């Protein structure tokens, strides 16, 4: 598997059936990644979005482009409540052309006390479905915007 990092906001992954992506948000020590997983053509699998952060993160938004033959399963986006409680943040998924835009927005006015909990681990999970003919492709993540607990 080849991994090419594109400065701060983009990542290209050439994959067989194993998909991985890592990228930086705002600082080199803050990383958003998709946990390694295998997807069998014709089946679904759960994808975990992992945030490793050296500084507190209160809100986050990114665009994701899936390759032909791999699709997002509607209504499958979920918070991982060990890091994002049901009351602290709102999670939204929209489409913008071919992009899947995912946003995690804090609900609480005092950002200093409502950041995403902890410094490492999954924050979201969702399902993807591979077409029976799916063999390989590229996933692109870009337009990553993160905000710390000071609103920066």
């Amino acid at each position: 598997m080849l991994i090419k990092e594109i400065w701060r906001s983009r990542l290209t992954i050439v994959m067989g059936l194993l998909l991985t992506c890592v990228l930086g948000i705002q600082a080199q020590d803050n990383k958003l990644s998709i946990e390694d997983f295998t997807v069998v053509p014709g089946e679904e699998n759960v994808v975990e979005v992992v945030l490793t952060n050296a500084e507190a993160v209160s809100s986050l938004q990114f665009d994701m482009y899936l390759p032909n033959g791999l699709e997002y399963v509607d209504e499958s986006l979920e918070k991982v409540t060990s890091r994002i409680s049901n009351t602290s943040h709102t999670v939204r998924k929209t489409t913008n052309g071919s992009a899947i835009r995912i946003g995690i927005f804090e609900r609480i006015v005092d950002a200093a006390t409502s950041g995403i909990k902890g410094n490492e681990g999954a924050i979201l999970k969702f399902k993807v479905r591979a077409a029976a003919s799916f063999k390989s492709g590229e996933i692109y993540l870009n337009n990553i915007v993160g905000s710390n607990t000071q609103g920066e």
Side-chain angles (χ1 to χ4, degrees), residues 43-105:
E43 296 186 8
E44 294 180 357
N45 204 345
V46 174
V47 176
E48 288 188 341
V49 179
V50 174
L51 176 64
T52 303
N53 51 301
E55 62 183 326
V57 174
S58 62
S59 296
L60 178 66
Q61 177 178 295
F62 61 94
D63 289 347
M64 178 172 57
Y65 298 85
L66 298 177
N68 288 335
L70 191 66
E71 66 178 341
Y72 170 85
V73 176
D74 285 334
E75 306 299 322
S76 67
L77 184 60
E78 297 179 34
K79 298 176 190 177
V80 174
T81 56
S82 60
R83 295 215 52 202
I84 301 175
S85 76
N86 286 326
T87 58
S88 66
H89 291 78
T90 298
V91 176
R92 294 283 181 249
K93 176 240 166 216
T94 61
T95 55
N96 183 14
S98 61
I100 298 169
R101 178 164 289 166
I102 298 176
I104 304 167
F105 308 104

